[in-house]
Amino acid sequence: MAYFARRFAFFLATLWAAVTLNFLIPRLQPGDPAEAIVSRIGGKGQAVDPAQLEAVRTMLGAPGGNLFEQYVRYLGAVFSGDFGVSYSYFPYSVTHMIGEALPWTLVLVGVTQILSFVIGTLLGTWAAYRRNTRVDSVITLGSTFVGTLPFFWIALLLIYVFAITLRWFPERGGYGGGSSPGWNWLFISDAFQHSVLPGLALLITGPIGWIIGMRNNMVQSLGEDHARLAVARGLPERRIAITYGARIAILPNVTGFAIALGSILGGTVLVETVFNYPGMGRLLLESVSNKDFPLMQAIFLFTTIGVLIANFLADILYGFLDPRVRKAENS
Amino acid sequence: MTLLEVDQLSVTYTPRDQPAVRAVRDVSFTISDGEFVGLLGESGCGKSTLGNALLRLLSPPARIIGGRVLFDGADLATLHTRQLRELRWTNLSTVFQSSMNSLNPVIRIREQFADTFAAHRVTDNVDTRAAELMELVSLDRRVLRAFPHELSGGMKQRVALALALALRPKLVLLDEPTTGLDVVVQRSILDRLAELRQELGFAVLFISHDLGTVLQMADRVLVMYAGEIVENRPAAELRSDPRHPYTRGLLGSYADPRQPEVRITSIPGRTPDLSVSHPGCLFAPRCPYAEDACTQTHPALLPDHGGLVRCLVAQADRLPTTPPGPLTGATVDPAFVATGGAEVASISPGIADAAGTSSAGAAGARSPNAGSGSLSAADTDEATGAGETAAILVVHDVHKRYTTRKGLRTNTVTAISGVSLALHRGRVTALVGQSGSGKTTIARLITGIERPTTGEVRFNGGGDGDGDPTRVDRLRGRALRDYRRHVQMVFQDPFAALNPTRTVAYALSRPLVNYGGLRGGAARDRAAELLESVGLFPAGQFLDKLPHQLSGGQRQRVVTARALAPDPAVLIADEPISMLDVSIRAEILELLADLVRTRRLAMLYITHDLLSARLLADEVLVLNRGELVESGPTAEVIGAPRNDYTKLLLDSIPRL
Amino acid sequence: MSTPAPAVPTPSRNTQTAVEQGHRSGMRGRLLGRQPGWFAILWRNRKCRIGLLILAGFVLVALFAPVLAPYDPRSNDFPTSLGPTGDHWLGTTVQGEDVFSQLVVGARTSLIVGLAAGLLSTLVGLVIGLTAGYAGGWVDEILSFLINLGLVVPALPLMVTLAAYSPVRGLWLIIFVISVTGWAYGARIKRSQIITLRTRDYITAARFAGDGTARIIAREIVPNMTSLIVVGFMGAALAAIGGEAGLAFLGLGDPLTVSWGTMLNQASLGGAMITGQWAWLIAPGLTLALLITSFTLINFGIDALSNPHLREDG
């Protein structure tokens, strides 16, 4: 159990660090952060509106007080889920805006990530199983090539081909004008149609890391003595590939999952922007262009926490998959 | 009846951007039902490649390029994969060298048995069968529920052996099955193996570099050199009448430390480069009997004196009849002495006759033997003198405990308890023990890398011996650095001890610059002198070489030269020969013995190998689980051990 | 961040184990010693050779961009939204700028960002990784925590947030932001590498030879990490080029610099898809992909350099 306790402690520590980072970023610039922010909102030469200043100070967590007091109050606000009021979507609260956008991203990223992992792992396993054959080269070189294509560019091309030229799928947005969000068939099928192209954009590059990782790890573990001994023992090829190859090769991929997720979310920002998809990524970018700093900060924090939770879950899963870890941490 | 027939088998490595290497060349031999065949050879001779080829486990760039492996009439080298899979394990099973990695780390031991049974449609109850097999190798059946990482190395190797016997195969191929395990564990596994072979009657191909074990266990021995079988002969005859010069050399490099007189020799030179073709005999450049024809005609493996030998001289019956010394007690083979020059070690410091062991003291035991070897005579004088001089380094009642903390729990491990020892100039003290006995910890305490929990380490050689002794256990920073110029180390693995990206000249110049204040040309000149003092002539040829361009023996000489650079008083040699090939160990031992004598060094020789301790040391300390269990003059400790553990260590050495 | 990060972890994990294998097998000395064979081995690898040639082409284009570009990339004197013509090989933008000239000048931006941010984050990663790995103890605990934190914080959102706060978005700010978010991976690899290196006997031997810590790190350890550092730099440069393109595409790049990312941003906003200006849309993406391909190909060679296993499998 020491392993799990340690991972949980790490989770809490990173959580604290992420919140602190979020507190520090606006304060990295010289001078009073609130005034600096308000002057940027208003543009140069305009008088600072006291009400605005107050709103920004609330977002920063402390009207007045020294840095430590600000920090304590900020922590209090974060843990009570109070991120203030969105500046660009007044009078909606930041929490409300995030609540609107979060499900879109969760579904899109969740589904594409799980699919990417499954597809990538299967293709990587296949390539390793047929290592040094044509299948292996096609999968390895093909995915290496696709991996070099810029993410958002693929998204643009998808729109160009499937939405504008072929008109198979809607070009942008999360759902059509005719439907309204809710548990009705019209909305769900509409939302699905809108999510096909963004999903595809994420799925084209998504599995690549898993393919390469799985393939290389598995080739390595199939070259190790225990796998060679399994061959000598006359075990069926398939049994060797799965139990003596894939079963071991998948472990580093599980730990890599959370790190990958961090960059996938980056990709999501790009994809959501290209498709004008109403998720967290687009909201982040909108908040940046609208200089809606409270919203922006909260989105960054939520995104980070999301990755941390995923990281923690992956660690837990790893603990169950690899008997060596639990033991090593215990002794 | 012939079980396995290997016929003209050849294996080549064809790396992409390097020349192809002919690792195994036209190998032919047979194994009969129930026969125990040893395959003896040094690292790089191709014995493991041959083993993998027999099992058809070679992976690119290695490939069988010719020959047949007939097992019960089927050619394993060309058989279709599906048919091969049926034959595997039921006919031919194996135990690999590295017990660490030969079990799947993520599944339990039981599953690995279940896999094996399922693959061959064994319908018996897995648990019953597996439990029986555990019993065969003297393991508790609870081991079945464990994961491999929960087992010790010895247990893992027992599991591997049980797995190999799971389907009652006709032939078991053992590739260095006990290398890396402690001698006592090795012994018990090998004993069990011999018993099981009696009970179950399987044949064995035993691949090893360990001459003593092979000679003791095998019915017949194949000797391999540079990818070829050079001799094939029943073990008893191989021992009494080796017919290939290489076999003679190998036998000369081994001795039983319990014999009244112990002597080993080395084979000069190094193994040939197999990526180029050699017209003549591959061993000719190192062979003391080589004739002109040997460099031009490649000998065939032909019947000779009841065995097979690949040597023109032997086949023409021009081989000198003198058998090698160590095993019969006669003098060293003159041919090796004559041609070996500086490479030859002829060390016999030990007991001259049985009488010396019990009654006489350290110095007295040696004297009768003066004259038989250059070392022994000089050693006697030194030993006598050393007894009177004060110790240069004293370890007094040292304890070392390690405390590890995990969360709230603390765990204390005692590595060393109550160890005292003294080192004298011109004398070698051997510290003998198995891995984990704490011998390396003692070296770390003496060199100041670690500090004892309690106890003292005192050094008396700081100034001119006039001041107070240095308390090594209290040194830090600058003072520690100053101390280390007097106490230097020779490491176990000469390759790991030299930075692969730095030249010999750089490695040697650092202590000269740091301790001697030498610069540029002066440091280089001194480095050259040091190289010559460790027997690397001409030094200019070695200065600008990188470690990988040197042979193992040359690397160990460079490591030794670096340790000598600051002109130390104490030399700690931590298993300096255990990573070297058997055939060159003697030359490094001789070098060390010579340095102790000429430079009046005090040496702590750390080893698990009683033979080298017997050859080199004046005094032996036996360490078990952090405690000294026996100490005394080498002759007494090895000749008449009093402690049970010392006896156990000695009993683990194969008797020939 | 246009290359998905998971592609990076595992190959490099192999690099690391390969380095150790190299040590044991004795290959490494020959491969990475001071002999000139270094570059020759890279060159002999076909994939790597192609990558080096492509990269050399990009470097030449970037160096001679002002000569090669037919027009000033910022000049909007031309007819707007043209398709490819003889005068404008790749057409013009919606503002009437020459797309081909922008493409040529954009190579400069990508390479500068790749080089500068690659170097900066490699340096930061090296210093932090070396310190953590060599010092051990609580220093390592703290730095390792920082490294792990740097690994899990999502990079692009962090870049976006940092960029949003800065009043001026010059190229150097972009480089800084990319380096701040991209050092952690290299630091982790270097830390674990130095941990295996520092317990080597030759490090102990250097200490016995009287060498100090700084000298040991500089002369004994770093030379044994060359390929790791080069691979790390290539990876960081690659991520930086992708990161710049992504930021610029989002409209958060340096507004005064022409880069492939800003080109795609304008192509997207300027309706290149609706007007059917496929050249404007495809060219920047392809050049970006080609540049990233060249880095990937070179990395194959470097991996092979330090991993005898890969050399053999091709």
Side-chain angles (χ1 to χ4, degrees):
Chain A
M1 285 331 277
Y3 168 77
F4 297 111
R6 241 182 105 86
R7 297 326 297 168
F8 188 64
F10 176 74
F11 170 67
L12 290 182
T14 42
L15 193 62
W16 164 78
V19 170
T20 307
L21 185 69
N22 211 39
F23 169 77
L24 287 176
I25 287 174
R27 290 170 176 78
L28 287 176
Q29 48 200 333
D32 177 3
E35 275 179 37
I37 289 170
V38 171
S39 73
R40 290 205 57 209
I41 294 169
K44 287 201 172 69
Q46 279 187 12
V48 171
D49 178 351
Q52 272 188 4
L53 195 63
E54 205 48 41
V56 171
R57 279 198 203 286
T58 315
M59 168 276 259
L60 290 172
N66 64 25
L67 201 64
F68 182 71
E69 286 167 17
Q70 290 177 30
Y71 182 54
V72 170
R73 248 173 273 179
Y74 170 80
L75 285 184
V78 165
F79 284 104
S80 58
D82 176 14
F83 295 94
V85 176
S86 163
Y87 185 72
S88 49
Y89 294 94
F90 190 81
Y92 287 117
S93 71
V94 165
T95 327
H96 174 83
M97 293 310 300
I98 290 179
E100 295 269 283
L102 192 59
W104 292 95
T105 302
L106 271 185
V107 171
L108 183 69
V109 173
V111 171
T112 54
Q113 275 321 286
I114 291 168
L115 277 179
S116 293
F117 190 81
V118 171
I119 294 170
T121 305
L122 288 178
L123 281 178
T125 306
W126 192 27
Y129 185 57
R130 295 259 165 262
R131 58 192 177 283
N132 301 329
T133 64
R134 188 175 296 266
V135 173
D136 182 22
S137 330
V138 168
I139 293 178
T140 316
L141 290 178
S143 54
T144 308
F145 170 71
V146 175
T148 64
L149 301 177
F151 218 172
F152 49 94
W153 185 63
I154 293 177
L156 286 176
L157 291 188
L158 285 176
I159 293 184
Y160 185 59
V161 174
F162 292 104
I164 294 178
T165 312
L166 295 173
R167 300 198 166 276
W168 288 359
F169 297 102
E171 188 190 326
R172 37 190 27 204
Y175 54 97
S179 60
S180 60
W183 289 108
N184 56 73
W185 173 245
L186 184 65
F187 169 72
I188 292 174
S189 74
D190 200 36
F192 176 75
Q193 283 198 356
H194 278 82
S195 68
V196 169
L197 287 185
L200 206 55
L202 289 168
L203 270 181
I204 286 176
T205 47
I208 288 170
W210 310 124
I211 294 175
I212 307 268
M214 191 66 193
R215 191 247 169 216
N216 287 352
N217 291 338
M218 189 165 146
V219 166
Q220 193 175 344
S221 73
L222 286 178
E224 276 166 25
D225 273 354
H226 63 79
R228 294 177 54 240
L229 194 72
V231 174
R233 263 151 60 199
L235 301 196
E237 257 190 286
R238 195 165 300 209
R239 173 76 186 170
I240 296 172
I242 292 169
T243 315
Y244 294 77
R247 174 73 179 77
I248 297 165
I250 206 168
L251 295 173
N253 269 6
V254 171
T255 42
F257 193 84
I259 295 170
L261 200 61
S263 84
I264 293 299
L265 284 171
T268 315
V269 175
L270 291 163
V271 166
E272 288 184 5
T273 308
V274 172
F275 289 98
N276 203 22
Y277 191 80
M280 295 279 278
R282 193 192 68 170
L283 194 62
L284 174 67
L285 204 70
E286 268 176 16
S287 67
V288 170
S289 10
N290 293 331
K291 300 179 172 120
D292 188 347
F293 290 94
L295 186 56
M296 186 185 80
Q297 291 262 212
I299 293 173
F300 174 64
L301 186 64
F302 266 77
T303 318
T304 312
I305 292 175
V307 175
L308 294 181
I309 292 173
N311 190 8
F312 179 60
L313 294 179
D315 280 344
I316 299 295
L317 181 61
Y318 187 83
F320 281 110
L321 287 179
D322 191 344
R324 290 166 293 186
V325 182
R326 279 168 286 161
K327 176 77 178 181
E329 296 273 337
N330 274 329
S331 60
Chain B
M1 200 194 113
T2 302
L3 186 63
L4 175 79
E5 183 185 350
V6 179
D7 180 28
Q8 299 285 308
L9 188 68
S10 292
V11 179
T12 300
Y13 284 83
T14 342
R16 196 159 273 221
D17 39 2
Q18 278 162 9
V21 173
R22 188 87 175 264
V24 172
R25 181 161 150 159
D26 298 337
V27 164
S28 303
F29 64 91
T30 59
I31 297 178
S32 305
D33 271 329
E35 196 183 13
F36 194 120
V37 176
L39 177 60
L40 186 66
E42 294 181 273
S43 61
C45 73
K47 58 187 191 299
S48 288
T49 305
L50 175 59
N52 282 328
L54 299 182
L55 295 161
R56 223 165 102 190
L57 286 179
L58 292 174
S59 51
R63 205 160 51 86
I64 295 178
I65 57 158
R68 296 184 303 165
V69 180
L70 295 174
F71 197 105
D72 266 356
D75 182 4
L76 298 185
T78 54
L79 203 63
H80 190 274
T81 336
R82 205 175 310 121
Q83 292 158 298
L84 181 66
R85 197 173 79 68
E86 300 288 321
L87 294 184
R88 280 184 154 150
W89 224 249
T90 50
N91 277 339
L92 172 58
S93 70
T94 184
V95 175
F96 285 158
Q97 174 174 358
S98 52
S99 53
M100 303 314 283
N101 301 324
S102 62
L103 297 170
N104 186 336
V106 296
I107 60 177
R108 294 176 197 274
I109 303 297
R110 181 193 173 277
E111 300 309 310
Q112 327 220 6
F113 281 96
D115 266 352
T116 314
F117 294 141
H120 296 281
R121 295 182 294 277
V122 174
T123 47
D124 303 12
N125 181 296
V126 172
D127 293 291
T128 324
R129 275 291 286 275
E132 283 167 20
L133 288 161
M134 287 290 105
E135 221 162 279
L136 275 189
V137 294
S138 325
L139 280 177
D140 192 295
R141 65 166 63 194
R142 278 176 305 184
V143 166
L144 288 171
R145 288 207 304 271
F147 285 103
H149 68 268
E150 295 167 325
L151 307 178
S152 71
M155 288 163 92
K156 272 191 252 190
Q157 206 59 320
R158 280 170 195 270
V159 170
L161 183 58
L163 208 49
L165 302 177
L167 303 178
R168 301 283 152 92
K170 296 178 190 151
L171 174 62
V172 182
L173 193 157
L174 302 159
D175 185 358
E176 304 261 9
T178 56
T179 304
L181 299 177
D182 281 327
V183 278
V184 177
V185 180
Q186 274 187 30
R187 189 74 258 145
S188 69
I189 290 180
L190 291 175
D191 287 348
R192 190 68 199 131
L193 174 70
E195 289 166 19
L196 286 172
R197 195 172 73 94
Q198 291 292 318
E199 282 171 38
L200 306 173
F202 51 86
V204 174
L205 178 61
F206 187 89
I207 302 178
S208 177
H209 70 278
D210 181 355
L211 189 127
T213 308
V214 170
L215 285 182
Q216 189 194 32
M217 307 270 305
D219 302 323
R220 193 154 51 89
V221 179
L222 313 172
V223 181
M224 201 163 172
Y225 181 76
E228 294 178 322
I229 304 283
V230 295
E231 187 157 6
N232 177 346
R233 192 176 295 279
E237 289 169 33
L238 188 93
R239 190 188 316 161
S240 59
D241 184 21
R243 294 286 294 165
H244 195 281
Y246 176 65
T247 315
R248 289 190 170 191
L250 275 185
L251 283 166
S253 64
Y254 180 80
D256 184 338
R258 289 161 299 204
Q259 294 291 317
E261 187 179 334
V262 182
R263 184 196 304 275
I264 63 171
T265 58
S266 61
I267 306 175
R270 55 197 290 190
T271 48
D273 179 358
L274 294 181
S275 63
V276 294
S277 73
H278 303 268
C281 170
L282 291 166
F283 188 63
R286 304 173 75 181
C287 182
Y289 317 114
E291 300 171 350
D292 286 348
C294 295
T295 57
Q296 276 130 41
T297 313
H298 185 258
L301 189 64
L302 295 175
D304 170 88
H305 281 63
L308 296 166
V309 73
R310 192 188 286 278
C311 173
L312 295 174
V313 182
Q315 285 157 6
D317 240 346
R318 283 200 292 273
L319 213 56
T321 45
T322 340
L327 297 161
T328 55
T331 50
V332 89
D333 191 331
F336 275 95
V337 175
T339 57
E343 305 280 356
V344 168
S346 162
I347 314 171
S348 59
I351 324 95
D353 47 41
T357 56
S358 50
S359 57
R366 286 187 170 71
S367 46
N369 199 29
S372 73
S374 57
L375 181 72
S376 55
D379 201 35
T380 310
D381 301 337
E382 284 299 325
T384 323
E388 294 153 12
T389 58
I392 188 157
L393 193 133
V394 175
V395 173
H396 180 67
D397 194 24
V398 157
H399 293 254
K400 178 70 186 177
R401 283 182 287 274
Y402 294 100
T403 306
T404 50
R405 201 161 47 84
K406 229 336 90 30
L408 298 171
R409 275 173 301 173
T410 56
N411 197 4
T412 305
V413 181
T414 304
I416 297 293
S417 60
V419 167
S420 297
L421 61 90
L423 302 181
H424 298 267
R425 271 190 175 271
R427 282 174 65 92
V428 179
T429 303
L431 192 56
V432 177
Q434 301 192 56
S435 61
S437 63
K439 47 191 204 298
T440 299
T441 305
I442 291 180
R444 293 168 72 85
L445 295 174
I446 290 178
T447 52
I449 295 174
E450 286 183 50
R451 289 150 182 265
T453 313
T454 61
E456 291 178 12
V457 179
R458 292 191 300 264
F459 175 66
N460 296 316
D464 300 314
D466 51 348
D468 291 334
T470 313
R471 282 290 297 274
V472 178
D473 48 298
R474 292 181 183 163
L475 292 176
R476 54 174 70 234
R478 185 99 208 149
L480 186 60
R481 212 196 82 157
D482 289 342
Y483 163 68
R484 286 209 182 123
R485 72 176 301 164
H486 304 295
V487 178
Q488 286 281 313
M489 264 191 91
V490 176
F491 297 86
Q492 176 171 19
D493 180 354
F495 198 85
L498 291 171
N499 190 331
T501 63
R502 293 282 156 199
T503 61
V504 169
Y506 178 87
L508 292 179
S509 70
R510 294 315 302 160
L512 296 172
V513 169
N514 289 326
Y515 296 123
L518 297 179
R519 289 285 176 272
R524 200 179 158 85
D525 291 345
R526 182 79 189 100
E529 284 171 38
L530 283 167
L531 284 179
E532 292 185 355
S533 74
V534 295
L536 292 176
F537 298 98
Q541 203 184 313
F542 293 97
L543 280 173
D544 295 313
K545 288 234 160 87
L546 288 167
H548 73 267
Q549 295 167 304
L550 306 173
S551 71
Q554 289 170 336
R555 283 197 281 264
Q556 196 57 297
R557 285 172 188 269
V558 171
V559 171
T560 309
R562 177 175 56 190
L564 296 175
D567 204 7
V570 178
L571 199 61
I572 313 286
D574 188 356
E575 304 258 16
I577 58 162
S578 71
M579 305 285 279
L580 301 178
D581 263 335
V582 184
S583 66
I584 59 165
R585 287 182 179 180
E587 63 177 66
I588 298 297
L589 281 181
E590 193 207 21
L591 171 70
L592 293 174
D594 192 49
L595 291 171
V596 168
R597 194 180 63 224
T598 54
R599 290 174 172 253
R600 286 183 43 80
L601 287 169
M603 180 183 290
L604 182 67
Y605 179 73
I606 296 173
T607 188
H608 69 277
D609 166 33
L610 287 160
L611 171 61
S612 63
R614 168 75 200 277
L615 289 165
L616 189 62
D618 301 281
E619 183 189 20
V620 172
L621 311 175
V622 182
L623 196 64
N624 183 27
R625 295 168 193 270
E627 287 179 60
L628 284 184
V629 294
E630 181 156 7
S631 64
T634 308
E636 285 183 13
V637 173
I638 293 178
R642 289 185 300 271
N643 181 274
D644 287 342
Y645 179 73
T646 316
K647 287 178 190 159
L648 185 64
L649 278 183
L650 280 160
D651 286 344
S652 302
I653 300 168
R655 270 182 200 281
L656 296 179
Chain C
M1 285 294 104
S2 60
T3 8
V8 188
T10 354
S12 307
R13 189 185 82 101
N14 290 343
T15 309
Q16 188 198 329
T17 47
V19 170
E20 287 173 51
Q21 283 164 3
H23 263 291
R24 267 180 246 123
S25 65
M27 298 289 278
R28 192 179 162 75
R30 176 149 43 94
L31 299 173
L32 286 182
R34 28 174 69 178
Q35 295 137 305
W38 212 105
F39 188 79
I41 289 173
L42 285 187
W43 190 252
R44 218 182 303 154
N45 184 313
R46 196 163 50 93
K47 286 181 194 157
C48 186
R49 188 165 60 229
I50 296 171
L52 286 168
L53 286 174
I54 299 175
L55 184 62
F58 274 110
V59 170
L60 286 179
V61 169
L63 282 177
F64 297 105
V67 188
L68 291 173
Y71 310 101
D72 176 0
R74 292 256 142 215
S75 147
N76 50 6
D77 304 339
F78 309 108
T80 59
S81 301
L82 283 181
T85 66
D87 284 341
H88 303 283
W89 295 352
L90 298 175
T92 59
T93 69
V94 73
Q95 270 109 30
E97 298 149 324
D98 180 48
V99 172
F100 180 71
S101 303
Q102 291 198 337
L103 194 70
V104 169
V105 174
R108 206 172 238 209
T109 314
S110 282
L111 282 179
I112 289 176
V113 171
L115 184 71
L119 278 179
L120 198 60
S121 52
T122 304
L123 196 70
V124 173
L126 188 63
V127 169
I128 293 186
L130 285 187
T131 313
Y134 197 82
W138 61 270
V139 177
D140 184 29
E141 293 275 336
I142 292 173
L143 290 179
S144 293
F145 179 72
L146 274 183
I147 293 171
N148 285 325
L149 189 66
L151 280 174
V152 290
V153 170
L156 195 71
L158 178 59
M159 283 189 217
V160 168
T161 311
L162 286 175
Y165 273 109
S166 49
V168 208
R169 279 186 215 131
L171 199 55
W172 287 103
L173 177 92
I174 302 295
I175 289 170
F176 170 77
V177 165
I178 290 173
S179 310
V180 160
T181 54
W183 58 274
Y185 189 70
R188 183 170 78 167
I189 302 271
K190 280 156 199 143
R191 173 181 169 272
S192 49
Q193 173 70 1
I194 200 172
I195 285 175
T196 66
L197 285 180
R198 80 168 176 190
T199 53
R200 293 268 145 91
D201 281 349
Y202 61 79
I203 302 300
T204 312
R207 209 165 290 135
F208 271 87
D211 282 341
T213 304
R215 190 180 177 97
I216 288 176
I217 291 179
R219 298 301 190 88
E220 309 278 345
I221 290 177
V222 171
N224 283 298
M225 294 174 67
T226 328
S227 82
L228 200 73
I229 293 170
V230 176
V231 171
F233 166 74
M234 302 291 290
L238 199 139
I241 290 169
E244 189 277 332
L247 273 182
F249 177 74
L250 291 175
L252 293 169
D254 175 7
L256 299 176
T257 309
V258 174
S259 85
W260 297 333
T262 53
M263 286 176 73
L264 281 169
N265 174 278
Q266 282 163 12
S268 169
L269 295 177
M273 288 183 284
I274 295 156
T275 57
Q277 285 174 279
W278 54 269
W280 186 14
L281 193 64
I282 287 180
L286 271 188
T287 46
L288 198 53
L290 196 61
L291 182 60
I292 292 173
T293 304
S294 75
F295 274 72
T296 313
L297 289 174
I298 295 170
N299 260 349
F300 272 122
I302 298 173
D303 260 354
L305 185 71
S306 54
N307 187 348
H309 235 56
L310 288 176
R311 279 151 58 92
E312 290 159 0
D313 292 349

